[in-house]
Amino acid sequence: MNKNIKTKIIYAFLPILLSSGCSNLNFWRSNTDEATLYWTKGDYENAIQYANKAIKDNPEDAYALMIAANSYEALGYPNQSRRYYEDMLMIKENSDVGIFNSIKKLPPDTLKAAALQRLRDMELKDKPYTSVNPETRVVSFTDTAFKQDNQTVKTMMGDEFTLAKSEIKGGLAMLDEADKNVVQRFLTFTKLRDEKYVTPKEWQLRRTINLGGLLPYTLEPAGLGLDLPSPSADTIIGRMNALRTALEMRTITPREHAAEREMILEALLPSNPFHRMTPLAPPKDMLEGATALRRIEMLKNLALITPEEADNEQKAINKLVYTKLGMDGDNLDQNYTASSSSCIKKCLAQPSCPCCQQQTKKKAPVKKKAAPKKKAPKKAPVKQECKCS
C-alpha cells in the first residue's frame, strides 16, 4: 500500500518537475531546453547548435529564435543575429512554443518588442547620434537624434500613435525660437539629473559653464550652438537606455558606451566650449526691458536660476534700461530698482504706447521752431520719471 502511495505522488509531481526543468535526464529535454541551458551557462556555440535544431522543427519557436539571436550577438556576429530577430517579428499570433516540456500559448508581443528593441540597439554604431564640426569644434545632434520626435509609430497590433515632442511649459511662448532652445537644453539636463542619468556634479559643472545663456547681462555667453534645436528629454533618455542595454548585451564596449554618453552631454551643454555665443545686446527701450524682467521671473519659477541670480540679473537689466534712456542719476545704484520697476509697469499697462521720452525725441526734429520745448526733456534725469501716455 505504501508503494502505491509513493507511485501516485511521483506521477502527481512529474509534470511539475518536467515543466520546471529540474530533471537531469537528457531525453526529457527538448532542443529548445538544451539551447536555453547552454545559453545560461555562456556556452553560446552549443546554444546556437540546439537552437537551430529546434527552429528546424518549429520555425516559430520564439524561445529558440531568441536564444539563437542573443548567442550570435554575444559572439560578435551581428548580421546573423539580426536575421533571427527579424524572424521573430514574423511570428504569428498565439504561437505554440515549448520550454522544459511545458507547452503553452505565448503572446508574441513581449518577445517581439524585445526583438525590435534589440534591432534598434544594434543600429547604434550604424547611425551616430552626434557629430563634431571640425572648424568650430561644436558637438551637435544629428538627424537620428530627432527621428523619434513627432514620429508616427505602428504597434504590433496595427495601431498608430505619434511620439510628439512635448511642449515646454512655464510661459516660454514669450521667447523667440533661439532663446527657447537654450532654455529647453537646461530643462532637459535637469530631467536627466532628476532621473539619475547624470550626476549632480556633471549638472553643476555644465550649468556653471553655460549659465550665461540664461543670465546674459551678468555672466559671459554660453557655449556656441546652445541656441540650436535639441531632441526632447524623453528621446535622449531612450538613447541612453539603449546604450545601457547594448553594453549589458555586449553589443558595444564600455569605452564606446562612455564615449557616446559624453558626446550626448557635450552636444546638450558643453563642458569646455572652444567658442561662445555672441553677447546679447542690451534692451533698446523700456518695453524690451520689461520683457527681459518677465523672462527672469519665469526662469526663477522653473527653478533654473536661484533667487539671488535672478535678483542680480534684474538689477543689471534695470540699470541698462535707465542708462539707455538717460535716466541714470548720481545715486542710481541705490534708488533705480524701485523707480524703474514702477515705470516699467506703467509702460506694460499700455504696451502699444512707447515711453513719452521716446516720443519727445522722435518729434523733436519735426518741431524745430519750438525752441523753448527742447529744454523740457532735460528735467527727466533729475526727477527719475518715465511717463507713458
Side-chain angles (χ1 to χ4, degrees):
M1 182 175 180
N2 292 335
K3 185 176 181 181
N4 293 333
I5 293 175
K6 291 181 179 179
T7 303
K8 291 180 180 181
I9 292 174
I10 292 174
Y11 277 104
F13 281 91
L14 183 59
I16 299 176
L17 294 174
L18 292 174
S19 63
S20 62
C22 294
S23 174
N24 291 323
L25 299 177
N26 290 335
F27 63 86
W28 280 352
R29 294 201 292 261
S30 66
N31 289 324
T32 303
D33 301 337
E34 293 290 349
T36 304
L37 291 175
Y38 278 115
W39 178 77
T40 58
K41 296 177 183 178
D43 189 347
Y44 301 117
E45 290 84 357
N46 279 319
I48 291 172
Q49 179 182 351
Y50 281 100
N52 283 328
K53 290 181 180 179
I55 294 169
K56 185 177 181 180
D57 296 335
N58 179 12
E60 293 191 348
D61 189 331
Y63 289 116
L65 289 169
M66 179 63 81
I67 292 298
N70 287 340
S71 298
Y72 272 119
E73 190 173 352
L75 291 174
Y77 297 99
N79 291 333
Q80 291 89 330
S81 178
R82 186 177 288 107
R83 178 170 64 86
Y84 286 99
Y85 285 132
E86 291 172 349
D87 288 343
M88 288 188 65
L89 299 180
M90 303 301 294
I91 295 177
K92 298 178 181 179
E93 294 285 339
N94 299 323
S95 299
D96 289 335
V97 297
I99 184 168
F100 297 120
N101 296 302
S102 176
I103 305 299
K104 62 179 181 179
K105 294 285 186 178
L106 177 70
D109 283 356
T110 302
L111 288 177
K112 280 185 176 182
L116 184 60
Q117 184 60 49
R118 296 305 305 135
L119 287 172
R120 290 174 177 172
D121 294 342
M122 295 173 70
E123 293 180 354
L124 291 176
K125 296 180 181 180
D126 299 333
K127 298 181 179 180
Y129 207 67
T130 58
S131 62
V132 182
N133 187 314
E135 296 181 359
T136 62
R137 304 185 188 180
V138 173
V139 182
S140 58
F141 293 101
T142 63
D143 292 339
T144 302
F146 296 95
K147 186 171 292 186
Q148 291 184 4
D149 290 337
N150 297 322
Q151 181 184 17
T152 300
V153 178
K154 190 172 183 179
T155 65
M156 298 300 177
M157 304 301 294
D159 300 325
E160 291 188 356
F161 62 95
T162 301
L163 296 174
K165 187 174 181 178
S166 58
E167 293 293 330
I168 307 175
K169 298 180 180 180
L172 296 191
M174 61 178 287
L175 305 180
D176 60 35
E177 195 64 27
D179 197 12
K180 191 182 296 184
N181 290 336
V182 174
V183 176
Q184 171 71 72
R185 289 170 180 267
F186 280 88
L187 289 173
T188 298
F189 217 103
T190 56
K191 185 171 183 178
L192 295 178
R193 177 204 62 191
D194 294 341
E195 298 191 14
K196 312 298 183 184
Y197 286 92
V198 298
T199 64
K201 185 177 180 180
E202 288 175 319
W203 156 247
Q204 191 60 39
L205 169 64
R206 296 176 185 275
R207 177 186 185 274
T208 302
I209 295 296
N210 299 281
L211 192 55
L214 302 180
L215 305 172
Y217 298 116
T218 53
L219 298 175
E220 65 176 334
L224 185 65
L226 254 68
D227 55 344
L228 299 176
S230 63
S232 65
D234 291 338
T235 300
I236 293 178
I237 288 175
R239 180 71 172 193
M240 287 191 167
N241 286 335
L243 287 172
R244 183 183 300 173
T245 303
L247 177 63
E248 293 172 353
M249 296 299 297
R250 303 180 186 179
T251 306
I252 59 175
T253 65
R255 179 177 295 181
E256 290 172 333
H257 173 271
E260 179 160 352
R261 179 184 178 277
E262 182 68 15
M263 289 289 284
I264 291 174
L265 300 186
E266 282 294 311
L268 199 58
L269 290 177
S271 60
N272 186 23
F274 189 76
H275 296 289
R276 291 186 177 270
M277 297 172 62
T278 304
L280 187 65
K284 295 187 296 184
D285 50 39
M286 192 64 71
L287 292 178
E288 283 197 4
T291 302
L293 290 176
R294 285 205 308 267
R295 174 183 176 275
I296 294 304
E297 284 295 327
M298 177 186 57
L299 295 178
K300 184 172 67 173
N301 294 336
L302 290 172
L304 292 179
I305 58 176
T306 64
E308 183 180 0
E309 292 168 342
D311 185 59
N312 292 335
E313 186 76 2
Q314 287 170 341
K315 288 180 179 179
I317 293 170
N318 283 322
K319 189 171 183 178
L320 286 169
V321 171
Y322 261 60
T323 301
K324 186 75 174 178
L325 298 177
M327 300 174 67
D328 49 343
D330 296 334
N331 298 320
L332 180 61
D333 291 338
Q334 298 178 4
N335 59 22
Y336 74 86
T337 303
S339 58
S340 63
S341 298
S342 176
C343 179
I344 289 171
K345 290 179 181 178
K346 292 181 181 179
C347 289
L348 285 177
Q350 302 177 19
S352 61
C353 176
C355 187
C356 64
Q357 291 180 3
Q358 290 180 317
Q359 289 180 350
T360 305
K361 291 180 180 180
K362 290 181 180 179
K363 293 181 179 180
V366 179
K367 299 180 181 181
K368 293 182 180 180
K369 295 181 180 181
K373 294 183 179 181
K374 293 183 179 179
K375 298 180 180 180
K378 296 182 179 179
K379 297 180 180 180
V382 179
K383 294 181 179 181
Q384 298 290 338
E385 296 179 354
C386 178
K387 299 179 182 179
C388 294
S389 58

